[in-house]
Amino acid sequence: MKIQNWLKGLVLATAISVPALSVPPSFAATPDDILVVANRIDDIISLDPQEMFEFAGTDYANNVYDSLVSFDPKDLSKGYEPSLAESWTISEDGKTFTFTIREGVTFHSGNELTAHDAEFSLRRAVGLNKTPSFILTQFGFTPENMDSTIKATDDRTLVVVTDKKYAPSFVLNCFTSAISYIVDSKEVKSHEKDGDWGNEWLRTNSAGSGAYSLVSWKPNESYTLNANADYWRAKPAMKRVIVRHIQESATQRLLLEKGDVDVARNLSPEDVAGIAENSDLAVDEDLRGRIMYISLNQKDPILSKPQVIEALKYLVDYKGMEGAFLKGQWKVHQAFLPLTYMGELKDQPFSFDVDKAKGLLTEAGYPDGFDVEIIVRDAQERVEIAQSLQNTFAQAGINVSLSQGTGKQILGKYRARDFQIYLGAWGPDYPDPHTNADTFASNPDNADEAQHLGKLAWRNAWAIPELTAMTEAAVQETDNAKRAQMYVDIQKEHQKVSPFVEMFQKNEQTGRRANVSGFVTGSAVTAVYYWTVTK
């Protein structure tokens, strides 16, 4: 079948609204050099790598852009390795990192990639000051000093100077994150408007050097990528990648069974079990770094009471949810660091105990409970978790109303601190324990105008000077054994007093056609890779 005819059929299928339990139109299997992925991508609000801070957006950026430091998708356990920076040196005082930029890499525009592009990109991340900018500004970079702390001394050399000495792995791990992806400075500057660093243009366009370039993006529907045949790592086997927004698991499964998609990334446990005996399909598992939690806004006079916070931790049916509708996909985990990270904590001090919760609520002055709203993205497993909480909270007299919305809508309320209880997931931004410690256990300025959007402690208005100081000390500790123990201690204190109820860690189950191989979801350290896929 001609590719253009298949694509015409795909467009038709995408345009049709498919109810969760109806059968989608049937089309022939996808072409050998096109990968079609069913995923939830309604959280994408921008395609600008220096602005995006969402799961689906990072998947996109991981394939369109390159970073100075990256991972080998064929062996993620090796940790970070050279990427656009083929090597680096670190000064004796531990503050100056000198990167040597790889020669022969070009952007999709045809422009040569140089250290000046890296300089522009890192300065752009600081200057834009979008949500993920803290990943770089935590090293002391500011709009006022970035001309001297982030500097290309020639086409091949980039010099970065931090404000103080940090563990080198911490610095280098941060340079693997999306905020550090290198953009085509000439292309982006040509679209700059009123000093916006080209942000308006790059929100809907691409300017990278990665394995793929953007063809089109339709918010809440799909995005399409074309392969970069000259990609410096390897020539992608898939000439085109189409990622379709399919919200319902049942629809993803049916599309996968019929061959209309090659990969389904959001299958429920029931649908995973349903395809297990199909020889045309396969299921891969990957322990991700994503933590599912609820958090309580400390501006709320009821939810800020210590006894109420503790009571809610005993009103979650952790084991019940894991063994029922979450079976196989989320495992009980009650600490903010994912398993496999330095300083991991396996303690599970909380269990479902209504009597204990009632006693705590009585101590707090609410023996008959209270009314509260949980905001949640309208994704199947999150809504099911919210409904379980609604049921178990009610057993202690707490009347829960659920407010559902798209990822963008719910995240908007969360970032504006306009909520009572938030239910969602958090994934690490780089493979270092500071990534989660800094967001769950650090809040240097709790004022509304501080706008620490990347810090969950700030989003929940939780003022914690002591934990903030402990977190700052841990990131500067160069002895790995001591540093690991510091993170254990922080998490134990966090479990006792925080307005966060960490519940589960993600075990991702990905359905795929059996002829598809090399689809790497990134484990706990990075995002998905498309250029490794073959059929």
Side-chain angles (χ1 to χ4, degrees), residues 99 138 243 268 320 365 419 477 495 503 514-515:
F99 296 94
Q138 64 187 336
V243 180
S268 68
F419 69 100
E477 177 56 61
Q495 284 179 329
M503 300 180 290
N515 67 323

Side-chain angles (χ1 to χ4, degrees), residues 90 170 188 237 329 473 513:
I90 305 171
F170 168 53
V188 174
Q329 298 195 338
R513 302 291 300 180

Side-chain angles (χ1 to χ4, degrees), residues 3-54:
I3 288 179
Q4 55 264 39
N5 291 337
W6 176 85
L7 287 172
K8 183 178 179 181
L10 179 64
V11 170
L12 176 61
T14 304
I16 297 173
S17 176
V18 185
L21 298 179
S22 66
V23 180
S26 178
F27 300 97
T30 62
D32 292 341
D33 57 358
I34 293 181
L35 178 72
V36 183
V37 179
N39 193 18
R40 296 173 185 156
I41 61 171
D42 62 328
D43 61 341
I44 299 179
I45 59 175
S46 171
L47 300 184
D48 187 334
Q50 271 90 52
E51 180 177 24
M52 62 177 55
F53 206 44
E54 296 75 37

Side-chain angles (χ1 to χ4, degrees), residues 416-483:
R417 310 215 280 193
D418 179 23
F419 69 100
Q420 287 183 290
I421 297 179
Y422 169 80
L423 190 160
W426 182 264
D429 299 300
Y430 44 88
D432 186 276
H434 188 66
T435 181
N436 278 17
D438 189 49
T439 191
F440 281 94
S442 176
N443 185 7
D445 186 349
N446 195 42
D448 286 344
E449 57 269 20
Q451 291 288 298
H452 291 306
L453 298 181
K455 292 182 183 293
L456 299 184
W458 178 87
R459 292 189 197 179
N460 289 277
W462 188 37
I464 42 170
E466 295 85 0
L467 275 175
T468 299
M470 291 172 68
T471 299
E472 179 65 17
V475 78
Q476 297 180 56
E477 177 56 61
T478 57
D479 184 300
N480 281 345
K482 290 181 180 178
R483 189 175 181 225

Side-chain angles (χ1 to χ4, degrees), residues 207-254:
S209 61
Y212 291 89
S213 60
L214 178 68
V215 176
S216 64
W217 172 45
K218 297 179 181 179
N220 301 327
E221 289 187 20
S222 67
Y223 66 79
T224 301
L225 308 176
N226 271 354
N228 174 9
D230 298 320
Y231 186 48
W232 63 272
R233 273 178 152 180
K235 182 178 180 179
M238 298 295 102
K239 292 182 179 179
R240 177 164 285 195
V241 175
I242 300 169
V243 180
R244 298 175 56 188
H245 176 63
I246 306 294
Q247 187 75 0
E248 301 86 1
S249 169
T251 307
Q252 288 197 15
R253 173 185 169 182
L254 289 169

Side-chain angles (χ1 to χ4, degrees), residues 247-302:
Q247 187 75 0
E248 301 86 1
S249 169
T251 307
Q252 288 197 15
R253 173 185 169 182
L254 289 169
L255 290 170
L256 183 67
E257 289 174 332
K258 289 182 170 297
D260 293 336
V261 302
D262 299 297
V263 176
R265 300 197 61 194
N266 309 109
L267 297 178
S268 68
E270 292 76 16
D271 285 320
V272 167
I275 67 173
E277 302 303 318
N278 188 332
S279 61
D280 293 329
L281 307 177
V283 176
D284 300 321
E285 296 198 0
D286 195 13
L287 185 64
R288 307 301 302 277
R290 204 169 299 179
I291 303 296
M292 185 72 76
Y293 69 97
I294 59 172
S295 61
L296 321 177
N297 191 335
Q298 294 303 279
K299 288 186 174 186
D300 189 284
I302 298 177

Side-chain angles (χ1 to χ4, degrees), residues 28-259:
T30 62
D32 292 341
D33 57 358
I34 293 181
L35 178 72
V36 183
V37 179
N39 193 18
R40 296 173 185 156
I41 61 171
D42 62 328
D43 61 341
I44 299 179
I45 59 175
S46 171
L47 300 184
D48 187 334
Q50 271 90 52
E51 180 177 24
M52 62 177 55
F53 206 44
E54 296 75 37
F55 296 127
T58 304
D59 285 340
Y60 159 85
N62 205 41
N63 292 279
V64 174
Y65 295 91
D66 286 313
S67 51
L68 297 173
V69 185
S70 188
F71 301 93
D72 178 358
K74 297 177 181 177
D75 188 0
L76 294 168
S77 66
K78 294 190 303 185
Y80 62 79
E81 64 177 18
S83 183
L84 291 181
E86 62 183 9
S87 63
W88 52 81
T89 59
I90 305 171
S91 63
E92 251 183 70
D93 66 3
K95 297 196 297 183
T96 302
F97 291 72
T98 303
F99 296 94
T100 300
I101 304 302
R102 187 179 302 276
E103 292 190 69
V105 177
T106 58
F107 289 106
H108 303 145
S109 66
N111 294 329
E112 181 185 6
L113 188 152
T114 72
H116 300 286
D117 295 293
E119 173 195 88
F120 172 80
S121 301
L122 298 184
R123 289 182 182 179
R124 181 177 186 271
V126 175
L128 273 176
N129 195 32
K130 297 294 185 178
T131 300
S133 65
F134 74 93
I135 298 172
L136 294 184
T137 58
Q138 64 187 336
F139 298 119
F141 307 135
T142 67
E144 291 73 31
N145 70 21
M146 62 186 182
D147 287 353
S148 59
T149 57
I150 304 171
K151 190 172 184 178
T153 57
D154 58 44
D155 284 354
R156 304 262 71 82
T157 309
L158 175 72
V159 180
V160 175
V161 183
T162 61
D163 58 343
K164 55 190 172 188
K165 183 178 182 178
Y166 299 95
S169 60
F170 168 53
V171 179
L172 294 170
N173 277 325
C174 285
F175 282 121
T176 69
S177 63
I179 187 74
S180 303
Y181 285 150
I182 308 306
V183 303
D184 184 340
S185 61
K186 292 179 182 177
E187 183 74 14
V188 174
K189 286 177 181 178
S190 72
H191 295 281
E192 190 175 40
K193 291 182 180 179
D194 301 322
D196 74 342
W197 293 87
N199 175 243
E200 180 182 345
W201 179 80
L202 205 52
R203 286 173 63 91
T204 55
N205 292 276
S206 70
S209 61
Y212 291 89
S213 60
L214 178 68
V215 176
S216 64
W217 172 45
K218 297 179 181 179
N220 301 327
E221 289 187 20
S222 67
Y223 66 79
T224 301
L225 308 176
N226 271 354
N228 174 9
D230 298 320
Y231 186 48
W232 63 272
R233 273 178 152 180
K235 182 178 180 179
M238 298 295 102
K239 292 182 179 179
R240 177 164 285 195
V241 175
I242 300 169
V243 180
R244 298 175 56 188
H245 176 63
I246 306 294
Q247 187 75 0
E248 301 86 1
S249 169
T251 307
Q252 288 197 15
R253 173 185 169 182
L254 289 169
L255 290 170
L256 183 67
E257 289 174 332
K258 289 182 170 297

